[in-house]
Amino acid sequence: MGRLGTGNSGDAGSEPASDPPRHRGSGIGSGIEKVDAVVVGSGFGGSVAALRLAEAGQSVVLMERGKPYPPGSFARSPSEMGRNFWDPDRGLYGLFDAWTFRGTEGLVSSGLGGGSLIYANVLLRKDEKWFVNESPIPGGGYENWPFTRADLDPYYDAAEAMLQPVPYPYKDTAKTLAMEKSAANLGLSITRPPIAVTFSTAPGTEPRTNHALPLPGYGSIHGPTTVRTTCTLSGECDIGCNAGAKNTLDHNYISAASFRGADVRTFHDVRGIRPLDSGTQGGGYEVRYVVHHPDLHGELLTERIIHCRRLILGAGTFGTNFLLLRNRGSLPALSDALGTRFSGNGDLLTFIMGAKTPPANGSRPGVRTLTGSRGPVITTAIRVPDSNDDDGDGRGYYVEDAGYPAFMNWLMETAQLRTTMKRTVKLAGQLLKDRLFDAGRSNVSADLAAALGDGRLSSSSVPLLGMGRDIPDGVMTLRDGRLAIAWTMATSKEYFGRVRETMEAISKDLDGDFIDNPLWWAKRVITVHPIGGAPSGRHPGEAVCDSYGEVFGYPGLFVVDGAAMPGPVGANPSLTIAAFAERTCAHIIENADKAQHRGIRPEDTEGSGGAREKVAVEREAAGAVVDVGASAPRALAPDATKGKAAPAELPASAAPEVPQARSRGLGGPGAPDAPETTSVRFTEQMHGWFSPGTTDPEKGRSLGRDRSRKIMFELTITAEDMEAFATDPNHPAKAEGYVLADYFGGRMPVERGWFNLFIPDASDDGAPARRMLYRLWLRDPGGTPFTFTGHKLIHNEAGFDLWADTTTLYATILRGHVPPDAVPPDPGTPNVAPPDAGRPVASGAAQAGVVGAGILFIRPLDFARQLTTFRAEGPAPAAGLMTFGKLFAGELWQVYGQGLRRVPFPFTSKQ
């Protein structure tokens, strides 16, 4: 049995699991761990990949951010349930991970076994005629499946052999019989779908509850003492099966993978990915991750690194898309289809409450017993055909009964406050009457029974679940570093209307009250089956990955979870995702010997953008230094999904000092603090727009604004020796802070920053001019280094342009860490003379390292705040502030003072 990276105690361990000698290579520098494959996530895609690649003899590390859940460890008490959510910033490392977006809510899981821990067990194959091929529509909203049911059928068989689904076998379950009778009355097609639950101790034997099950030959990832039993019919499938009767992935695929030598690590949270340099032996990918320590609440986590030949993403639709979007700067050849064609798989939740039996002989209707808490969550599935079927009209869907844990019955009954209060008052009155009048009654059992009520509401109610082919037109993006989804019910209104009509007909047939999910009235839905965002397809013009999940432009990088689905599965998607992963792994193993080089190659990017993106992938800017800090660990926030709201992260150790020549270019930071010097600092915040693929800041601003690609920074500028700062003609200072740009994954701390207040320059007409220069070394989540360069051009033109000049920053972002004076800053800025008059504007190779450009502005309110941030420290703080103010005003006077008489009235701003 392979090693489980952490125990169930919640201790994340101090180091990654040790590996056999074949797991390590010569490495890069400091003995970075190297394996054949890293699998991210342990759901229906990741667990399959871990087993199949381990069976093929590859060294595999599976990383799961959550903890293991052996039978008996799932939360049940109120105190346990209150902490059973995933939010590491708040010290929560539980099972449920809840998301909220525009138009939809999402609920997924975090734990070893992924979504199988909380899913409702149904393993249906995608309908053969629902593998549709529709004409592309800009922005998504269509399905174009690059594989067929016939392609998946052998792999459906393989997945079913591991998961062992069976139809629900009991013949006396009230909700099951009611659904079957209602479907017959309405002329609907109903089946008992295969569910991954064990009801009997051996195949072919009678189902029995709560009987011990033998462990399989590959044992259990949870240890040899693990005890599983047959289904107890408790309705607790969706909150974790403490009996172990659910055939969750930890009991089969993951246990078998561990037995085959896969290194299964829990509490391991992947944050960054990037392709290794094409010259690296074996090629492949660098994976950056953190290890959660539940006993260290909210503290920053040390970044760790592992290299692999193949990287398999199976972190779920939300997790995989978030990871790819965050690392787009390190993966610039990703298709523009990333984030498109999101769907909730048509999920809709409604309720039947208070079902009744028909009146007999003039009596009142009786209580129809449904008892939603008895049995597994789902026992039946009604299928309504699609227009692609022979007998359908519209988009197809399923309606299934849903169960719930028994404690929900108490919540339903006590939630009827009026009735509950009435019964309680009646009981209290009866007891008081007996006491006051000595009624001679000592047995009050009937009174207590009446106070508790007959439970007719809970016994006659059942939820209904709908799912099917809604329209996949949701778009996933980052917003301030957080995952955001733009989705609307409007385009799928007809689909949801049809699903709701069927559910209402079932409720009417059972003579119950049809109750919508409260979110419905807010035009929102909740999904437990998020799909899409990194769709598979025929080419990068329509998809992120091919029909086997391999990402276009990045050989060896695969997506094997629901993110790769090019549209809604229709039926419960778990089995289709597992079959897709089985097919992908068979393809990988079959072609393993043919693909000797798995790192990114220049020619690999041609299909997703041509030569321009090839340059962006391969080349750093001219003059970029060797990235000696590439392997230096950063201190990262416990929860990356919080974006800019997460605790501030710390950059890697600063690179060694770069020798500087004093010139008209950017100067280095001031000398180290000395006891007798006075320092001055202030904080500046600027906001604007940026676009990749352009060297022109004006064009970048225009494109970025059209595409909502925002960029901002907050920098603290410090002149550590005010006297030296004032006398040096370059007025050098250091810059600290962060840059926030969603294209680069959100907030990037400044590893090292340079600032020059005013550099002497000249306008085209020979009038004096100045520049403010910025240079910031950054690193995205994948570890790729970037340099932010920018300048403010201070020169006097017609009109009142002082505000525009001092608050407008022309910015260019370069690939690599480029030190001052390596190349002229902002090589793509048009109509601007280079800062060093003796040096020509860079072009050719230097231009090749430009990632993009844009323009940032200081907003009036931010400028007002900036004025309040000036601070001075040292022996003469007042003199230091006065010196700074005098320098600033004096330099502006040199540029604008001589032209004040020529300013027209009224003032007109350049901006």
Side-chain angles (χ1 to χ4, degrees):
M1 176 67 66
R3 178 186 185 274
L4 182 62
T6 62
N8 190 47
S9 65
D11 181 9
S14 58
E15 293 295 333
S18 58
D19 301 293
R22 66 190 176 99
H23 284 207
R24 300 187 181 274
S26 57
I28 294 181
S30 58
I32 291 176
E33 186 179 9
K34 300 189 73 173
V35 295
D36 292 325
V38 167
V39 178
V40 182
S42 61
F44 284 95
S47 62
V48 170
L51 171 59
R52 299 312 180 196
L53 296 181
E55 284 180 334
Q58 298 190 19
S59 54
V60 177
V61 170
L62 183 150
M63 295 192 179
E64 164 58 49
R65 66 176 182 170
K67 64 183 180 181
Y69 287 92
S73 65
F74 291 100
R76 286 297 182 268
S77 70
S79 62
E80 291 173 337
M81 278 294 186
R83 299 190 58 79
N84 199 27
F85 292 86
W86 179 262
D87 190 342
D89 277 350
R90 304 288 183 87
L92 300 176
Y93 299 89
L95 181 62
F96 297 105
D97 189 13
W99 299 70
T100 182
F101 305 107
R102 175 185 167 190
T104 185
E105 314 291 334
L107 183 66
V108 294
S109 69
S110 180
L112 187 64
S116 73
L117 298 176
I118 65 171
Y119 85 134
N121 317 308
V122 176
L123 295 178
L124 284 169
R125 301 189 180 197
K126 180 176 172 65
D127 297 79
E128 181 176 1
K129 293 184 179 180
W130 292 12
F131 287 84
V132 298
N133 296 104
E134 299 172 334
S135 298
I137 301 173
Y142 68 96
E143 299 179 55
N144 204 332
W145 291 76
F147 46 88
T148 66
R149 169 69 176 267
D151 292 329
L152 288 187
D153 271 335
Y155 306 103
Y156 277 129
D157 293 341
E160 288 170 344
M162 289 295 299
L163 298 169
Q164 299 181 349
V166 296
Y168 182 61
Y170 289 95
K171 308 298 183 183
D172 58 352
T173 304
K175 66 170 184 173
T176 307
L177 299 177
M179 288 290 290
E180 290 173 335
K181 183 177 180 181
S182 181
N185 292 341
L186 297 172
L188 298 172
S189 173
I190 189 170
T191 60
R192 296 192 180 192
I195 54 177
V197 178
T198 303
F199 296 100
S200 57
T201 55
T205 61
E206 287 296 314
R208 296 188 297 176
T209 62
N210 202 30
H211 280 64
L213 295 171
L215 290 180
Y218 46 73
S220 173
I221 189 72
H222 302 299
T225 59
T226 301
V227 177
R228 300 177 61 198
T229 68
T230 55
C231 182
T232 58
L233 307 181
S234 63
E236 297 180 348
C237 310
D238 287 348
I239 60 172
C241 180
N242 272 331
K246 279 182 68 172
N247 300 332
T248 52
L249 297 166
D250 51 329
H251 296 312
N252 38 71
Y253 274 105
I254 297 173
S255 290
S258 181
F259 179 77
R260 290 286 188 170
D263 188 349
V264 179
R265 304 179 184 179
T266 51
F267 287 110
H268 281 54
D269 192 353
V270 173
R271 299 294 178 84
I273 56 178
R274 65 167 175 166
L276 292 171
D277 184 80
S278 56
T280 303
Q281 183 179 5
Y285 294 87
E286 179 175 278
V287 179
R288 293 174 176 248
Y289 65 97
V290 296
V291 178
H292 291 289
H293 294 265
D295 54 334
L296 303 177
H297 294 177
E299 295 186 16
L300 296 182
L301 304 174
T302 301
E303 183 181 54
R304 308 183 186 207
I305 298 175
I306 185 173
H307 289 174
C308 58
R309 293 179 60 233
R310 292 185 183 85
L311 177 57
I312 316 296
L313 300 183
T317 296
F318 293 153
T320 291
N321 279 288
F322 182 63
L323 196 57
L324 290 173
L325 288 165
R326 282 195 88 214
N327 290 275
R328 196 162 197 166
S330 290
L331 303 167
L334 283 173
S335 166
D336 287 340
L338 178 63
T340 63
R341 290 154 72 183
F342 169 81
S343 160
N345 200 52
D347 283 3
L348 182 65
L349 172 65
T350 62
F351 305 91
I352 299 174
M353 308 287 280
K356 296 174 282 293
T357 58
N361 300 323
S363 64
R364 299 178 62 182
V367 176
R368 186 188 295 272
T369 301
L370 298 178
T371 317
S373 60
R374 178 69 174 173
V377 168
I378 293 174
T379 61
T380 63
I382 293 172
R383 179 185 182 275
V384 177
D386 188 273
S387 57
N388 293 288
D389 298 314
D390 297 333
D391 55 347
D393 181 23
R395 304 179 79 89
Y397 56 91
Y398 287 82
V399 175
E400 300 165 349
D401 65 290
Y404 49 82
F407 67 77
M408 293 297 296
N409 291 325
W410 290 101
L411 294 179
M412 277 192 282
E413 294 298 332
T414 56
Q416 302 176 86
L417 296 179
R418 183 177 177 181
T419 304
T420 302
M421 185 63 67
K422 183 178 179 180
R423 293 197 303 261
T424 303
V425 170
K426 185 176 181 180
L427 172 65
Q430 182 63 50
L431 294 176
L432 179 62
K433 178 181 176 182
D434 291 345
R435 288 283 183 178
L436 292 177
F437 299 105
D438 193 17
R441 292 195 323 142
S442 58
N443 189 317
V444 293
S445 297
D447 298 311
L448 292 174
L452 289 175
D454 56 11
R456 66 171 58 205
L457 179 65
S458 58
S459 65
S460 60
S461 301
V462 69
L464 295 179
L465 300 176
M467 64 199 72
R469 291 189 55 235
D470 63 342
I471 296 177
D473 56 356
V475 178
M476 310 178 81
T477 58
L478 293 184
R479 184 175 301 159
D480 293 335
R482 296 177 293 105
L483 183 65
I485 299 178
W487 182 89
T488 175
M489 187 188 293
T491 52
S492 295
K493 184 177 181 179
E494 181 180 350
Y495 159 80
F496 283 111
R498 294 181 67 230
V499 177
R500 192 170 172 275
E501 285 177 5
T502 300
M503 293 175 162
E504 194 166 9
I506 297 171
S507 177
K508 184 177 180 181
D509 183 75
L510 296 176
D511 198 10
D513 298 321
F514 180 71
I515 306 297
D516 282 302
N517 181 337
L519 292 171
W520 174 262
W521 301 110
K523 298 189 184 302
R524 300 175 66 84
V525 296
I526 183 169
T527 180
V528 293
H529 301 128
I531 291 293
S536 56
R538 299 164 298 176
H539 54 79
E542 69 171 16
V544 173
C545 52
D546 65 16
S547 64
Y548 293 99
E550 189 165 25
V551 176
F552 289 114
Y554 293 97
L557 175 60
F558 292 85
V559 177
V560 295
D561 55 23
M565 300 295 103
V569 174
N572 311 64
S574 302
L575 184 63
T576 297
I577 294 170
F580 178 80
E582 289 273 11
R583 181 171 180 263
T584 295
C585 292
H587 173 75
I588 292 174
I589 295 166
E590 180 183 351
N591 293 276
D593 295 334
K594 302 176 184 178
Q596 297 298 320
H597 180 90
R598 303 307 297 174
I600 186 167
R601 304 182 298 267
E603 58 270 24
D604 292 326
T605 66
E606 292 292 345
S608 52
R612 179 177 300 178
E613 280 195 323
K614 175 179 67 177
V615 169
V617 172
E618 288 297 312
R619 298 187 182 182
E620 291 186 336
V625 297
V626 175
D627 188 13
V628 295
S631 300
R634 295 175 286 188
L636 304 182
D639 189 354
T641 65
K642 299 292 182 63
K644 72 175 184 179
E649 299 180 337
L650 300 179
S653 302
E657 189 73 16
V658 179
Q660 303 293 328
R662 193 175 297 275
S663 71
R664 294 171 60 87
L666 277 167
D673 287 334
E676 301 301 323
T677 62
T678 297
S679 65
V680 172
R681 72 177 187 274
F682 64 92
T683 299
E684 180 177 61
Q685 191 175 102
M686 301 189 74
H687 298 258
W689 294 273
F690 158 90
S691 184
T694 180
T695 61
D696 180 356
E698 284 284 4
K699 184 177 180 182
R701 178 194 66 86
S702 178
L703 291 173
R705 185 167 59 181
D706 291 344
R707 300 172 184 177
S708 193
R709 284 178 173 156
K710 297 180 180 180
I711 186 171
M712 64 83 64
F713 67 59
E714 183 175 296
L715 300 176
T716 296
I717 308 298
T718 304
E720 295 180 329
D721 184 340
M722 196 60 224
E723 182 178 354
F725 176 82
T727 57
D728 190 323
N730 290 322
H731 310 304
K734 71 176 181 180
E736 300 172 301
Y738 67 88
V739 174
L740 177 65
D742 289 331
Y743 181 83
F744 296 100
R747 185 170 60 187
M748 296 182 289
V750 175
E751 291 191 4
R752 192 173 180 198
W754 295 262
F755 171 79
N756 294 82
L757 182 60
F758 289 114
I759 299 291
D761 205 343
S763 300
D764 293 339
D765 59 2
R770 300 290 187 271
R771 287 185 184 229
M772 295 187 199
L773 303 180
Y774 298 71
R775 184 173 293 261
L776 312 172
W777 281 4
L778 309 168
R779 193 180 302 276
D780 78 346
T784 299
F786 296 96
T787 298
F788 176 103
T789 68
H791 74 269
K792 298 176 183 174
L793 184 58
I794 315 299
H795 61 141
N796 193 13
E797 295 181 332
F800 184 72
D801 54 355
L802 185 150
W803 171 259
D805 288 351
T806 55
T807 61
T808 303
L809 181 71
Y810 299 90
T812 301
I813 296 182
L814 312 175
R815 187 170 296 274
H817 280 165
V818 183
D821 297 325
V823 294
D826 313 315
T829 304
N831 304 319
V832 176
D836 188 335
R839 184 180 305 184
V841 175
S843 61
Q847 295 273 7
V850 176
V851 178
I855 299 179
L856 291 81
F857 304 94
I858 299 178
R859 301 180 298 196
L861 185 58
D862 292 332
F863 178 72
R865 292 195 189 101
Q866 179 176 329
L867 295 178
T868 68
T869 65
F870 278 85
R871 299 289 186 275
E873 296 178 355
L881 289 173
M882 186 175 297
T883 300
F884 185 91
K886 184 177 179 180
L887 170 65
F888 195 91
E891 292 289 348
L892 292 181
W893 178 261
Q894 291 294 323
V895 175
Y896 298 102
Q898 304 303 318
L900 287 179
R901 297 178 181 178
R902 302 195 302 271
V903 174
F905 184 86
F907 296 154
T908 57
S909 170
K910 282 196 314 182
Q911 205 171 2

